[in-house]
Amino acid sequence: MSNKRAVYVLGVGMTKFEKPGRRDNFDYPDMALEAARNALADAKISYKDVQQVCCGYTIGDSTCGQRAVYQLGMTGIPVYNVNNNCSTGSTALLLARYIVQGGVADCVMALGFDKMHRGPIKSGYTDRVNPMDKHVEVMFTQREMGNGPITAQMFGNAGREHMEKYGSNPDHFAKIAYKNHKHSVNNPNAQFQQHYTLEEVKASRLVHDPLTLLQCCPTSDGAGCVIVCSLDFLNKTGLHAQAVEILAMEMRTDFPSTFEEKSSIKLVGYDLSKSAADSVYKQTGYNANDVDVIELHDCFSANELITYEALGLCPPGKAGNLIDRGDNTYGGKWVVNPSGGLISKGHPLGATGLAQCTELCWQLRGQAGPRQVKGAKLALQHNLGLGGAVVVTMYRLGFPHLTYDAKTPYALSHQPCSGGNLKSEEFFKLIAENMEENGADLVKKVKGSYLFKITGGPGGLSKKWVVDLKNGNGSVKEGDGKADCTIMISDDNFADMVSGKLNGQKAFFQGKLKLSGNMALAMKLQAIMPSNPNSKL
């Protein structure tokens, strides 16, 4: 329809993906809050500017979406809960785009997360029809049942079919995993950041022939967030240089061919992916050869291989040649999964599609640090969920003639622009508010300056603040600087100390609090403490 509005990604954010249960105090509201704050900071807006939320997750009770965003603000806006298997994150983004595109709202948040169990994913119900029953039935009419997880068998069988039909070999699948693990070394948000040799990939435990363990994605905890907006909203913010336009976005669900053609390749979504990609190319006027960087759904290395062909990167049966030429990595025709993909970055189902979008936006802005794909101008995303649904999306900078400051820290989940994810940030806001009323009195009382070094935030985030109480009416500034007294403490310990849970003297003797410089000034810290920090921290 000609009256559809253009939709732009204004802000993106994510958490580091973690092994389930590895990170303390990382329940789904915590991970959702971290990702959402990062996206809001990137978008340079507040949650009050968000008019609707589409929230995706696959493991959890009803209305987890509301619980996840209430901590951002109780603004009464609509919150939609989305579950579409592994394509949940992209489905939430698709709905957010529809809302803006149709003129219902001008600024919408797509938020996705999952707190997963370790090991293979299992069905949550045994007293009703499993939505994958048709897929499994078709698979076992074609192949003998193995011992591996059902999903590994499905994608492994697709790999077997490709080898039988086209002559690809196990090394092609292993090379994909080798590439993705190598890419993830440069991604601080990845669950795994270890480089494996090709031989190590091949020698890891066999899960379902031809797939070894290092060719399979892990279960993960984590969250991703994307904020989309209209041109009208963008004009109000003036942030055109960072806006990434969603050129086209298409979802497909299963066709009759999924089941009727008795093909393992089609059973895991080949026709869905091809149809969605073809539609995206038709809408945009671009084709696969125009694309520079791709994030695609490599839940298993076999799926990445067959998806090369579904997306039109090569003709059917020629994916092995593409891999052997190195056309899927740096120096080749495309860079596929610069983030490390699901295999190495991790796969919290509800967050994956939004993390893919986040990576591609960083790439198009030139913010991907050592992962940066040189000259990336056009990006393609593929997010697949069995059962089945796939979302294919194409992005480019909305206003490429404007200069975006690529020096802005990449991986904003570790270095947010403002309002980041350190608990202690609220404390320094309270000090600044206190100074507006009592700054002159505090300067007379303290007559000194402090440098706070706060460490140990989520993902290793560290920040510094200078509190000046020796000049004028005082000031609070984020960043490094000279001071009379330096305080070094972790974010959690600092929040506990400010809120009264941790005694400062005890913290010092336990080594949790380190001081240097004018020790007499340290004794005056109480003078700048807010009277009621517990309501904020």
Side-chain angles (χ1 to χ4, degrees):
M1 294 173 59
S2 58
N3 61 345
K4 290 181 180 179
R5 302 195 299 176
V7 180
Y8 302 88
V9 175
L10 182 60
V12 294
M14 62 180 291
T15 70
K16 176 179 172 60
F17 287 179
E18 305 273 11
K19 183 177 181 179
R22 180 173 183 175
R23 183 164 148 189
D24 294 334
N25 302 316
F26 200 49
D27 204 346
Y28 75 88
D30 305 303
M31 58 183 77
L33 178 63
E34 183 179 326
R37 279 182 169 174
N38 293 336
L40 289 167
D42 186 36
K44 300 176 179 64
I45 63 172
S46 74
Y47 184 64
K48 292 180 181 178
D49 298 309
V50 176
Q51 297 163 337
Q52 299 197 19
V53 178
C54 300
C55 193
Y57 58 95
T58 66
I59 302 174
D61 293 323
S62 180
T63 67
C64 283
Q66 281 89 322
R67 178 63 182 84
V69 300
Y70 280 170
Q71 57 203 330
L72 293 169
M74 305 285 284
T75 58
I77 61 175
V79 177
Y80 310 103
N81 291 274
V82 180
N83 181 344
N84 219 13
N85 213 341
C86 301
S87 64
T88 292
S90 288
T91 302
L93 182 57
L94 179 76
L95 293 176
R97 180 180 182 243
Y98 281 157
I99 292 168
V100 173
Q101 194 177 50
V104 176
D106 285 305
C107 181
V108 180
M109 174 183 287
L111 176 64
F113 53 82
D114 259 313
K115 179 179 173 67
M116 302 185 72
H117 305 291
R118 295 186 181 184
I121 299 172
K122 299 178 181 178
S123 174
Y125 302 96
T126 58
D127 63 343
R128 64 204 67 188
V129 172
N130 188 296
M132 293 282 293
D133 67 330
K134 290 184 177 295
H135 296 75
V136 174
E137 179 184 352
V138 170
M139 180 177 70
F140 290 145
T141 62
Q142 303 300 307
R143 304 275 176 175
E144 290 186 6
M145 183 175 182
N147 296 321
I150 290 297
T151 50
Q153 292 188 54
M154 294 182 72
F155 286 100
N157 289 339
R160 290 182 185 182
E161 181 178 312
H162 198 279
M163 290 191 292
E164 295 163 359
K165 190 173 182 178
Y166 298 114
S168 53
N169 62 66
D171 277 8
H172 291 129
F173 304 110
K175 286 179 180 179
I176 287 172
Y178 163 80
K179 164 187 70 75
N180 290 348
H181 284 292
K182 185 176 181 180
H183 288 178
S184 73
V185 170
N186 291 318
N187 187 358
N189 289 313
Q191 183 170 338
F192 301 126
Q193 296 171 51
Q194 181 175 346
H195 175 52
Y196 295 95
T197 66
L198 182 61
E199 290 305 315
E200 286 174 323
V201 172
K202 293 163 62 176
S204 60
R205 177 173 60 85
L206 186 66
V207 176
H208 185 79
D209 192 32
L211 302 175
T212 64
L213 184 63
L214 290 175
Q215 299 177 51
C216 307
C217 71
T219 52
S220 315
D221 288 349
C225 185
V226 174
I227 296 169
V228 295
C229 70
S230 65
L231 180 59
D232 289 341
F233 187 88
L234 196 59
N235 288 337
K236 293 177 183 178
T237 68
L239 297 172
H240 300 76
Q242 72 184 60
V244 173
E245 185 175 3
I246 302 177
L247 293 177
M249 194 172 195
E250 285 292 316
M251 176 190 282
R252 292 291 186 274
T253 57
D254 287 315
F255 295 110
S257 60
T258 303
F259 307 113
E260 293 176 358
E261 296 194 14
K262 310 299 181 184
S263 164
S264 294
I265 291 175
K266 297 198 172 185
L267 191 65
V268 295
Y270 178 91
D271 284 354
L272 286 65
S273 298
K274 185 178 187 307
S275 176
D278 288 347
S279 181
V280 164
Y281 297 146
K282 183 177 180 180
Q283 289 178 50
T284 62
Y286 293 112
N287 60 44
N289 290 324
D290 299 312
V291 174
D292 302 298
V293 58
I294 302 167
E295 283 281 310
L296 65 77
H297 199 91
D298 61 315
C299 48
F300 300 89
S301 59
N303 195 50
E304 179 163 332
L305 184 146
I306 64 176
T307 302
Y308 293 163
E309 298 174 5
L311 297 181
L313 306 190
C314 61
K318 299 299 182 181
N321 296 341
L322 182 154
I323 294 164
D324 290 338
R325 291 194 304 269
D327 274 342
N328 55 357
T329 189
Y330 297 89
K333 188 170 179 56
W334 303 275
V335 178
V336 181
N337 288 328
S339 69
L342 284 61
I343 285 175
S344 200
K345 181 179 61 182
H347 185 28
L349 275 60
T352 287
L354 296 167
Q356 289 178 323
C357 173
T358 296
E359 175 69 21
L360 293 176
C361 287
W362 284 336
Q363 291 286 348
L364 291 172
R365 292 176 180 174
Q367 286 183 290
R371 304 188 309 283
Q372 184 62 50
V373 176
K374 187 177 180 180
K377 293 182 174 60
L378 197 65
L380 189 68
Q381 178 189 356
H382 166 271
N383 188 200
L384 170 74
L386 289 181
V390 69
V391 181
V392 176
T393 312
M394 187 174 284
Y395 307 87
R396 72 176 177 195
L397 278 177
F399 304 89
H401 59 286
L402 299 177
T403 301
Y404 183 72
D405 182 7
K407 295 180 181 179
T408 301
Y410 74 102
L412 291 169
S413 59
H414 300 290
Q415 300 179 30
C417 300
S418 62
N421 50 11
L422 284 177
K423 299 176 184 177
S424 52
E425 295 209 22
E426 291 294 340
F427 168 77
F428 293 101
K429 291 179 183 177
L430 290 173
I431 297 178
E433 292 173 4
N434 192 17
M435 284 185 184
E436 291 179 3
E437 297 181 7
N438 308 305
D441 291 337
L442 287 172
V443 169
K444 290 180 182 179
K445 187 181 297 185
V446 177
K447 297 180 180 178
S449 58
Y450 302 89
L451 171 62
F452 290 83
K453 295 182 177 180
I454 310 297
T455 63
L461 175 62
S462 299
K463 283 195 174 186
K464 299 176 183 179
W465 280 270
V466 175
V467 178
D468 183 353
L469 287 170
K470 64 189 298 185
N471 300 297
N473 292 322
S475 64
V476 179
K477 294 182 179 179
E478 182 181 336
D480 207 349
K482 294 182 179 180
D484 301 312
C485 179
T486 299
I487 297 99
M488 293 166 284
I489 190 170
S490 74
D491 188 42
D492 285 340
N493 287 333
F494 186 72
D496 287 344
M497 190 174 71
V498 172
S499 61
K501 296 178 183 179
L502 177 64
N503 178 273
Q505 189 176 26
K506 186 176 181 180
F508 176 75
F509 285 109
Q510 290 177 338
K512 296 179 179 179
L513 169 65
K514 296 180 180 180
L515 302 170
S516 62
N518 189 331
M519 299 297 287
L521 276 176
M523 306 303 293
K524 298 182 180 182
L525 272 174
Q526 190 61 39
I528 66 172
M529 294 294 183
S531 59
N532 184 25
N534 292 301
S535 63
K536 293 282 186 178
L537 291 173

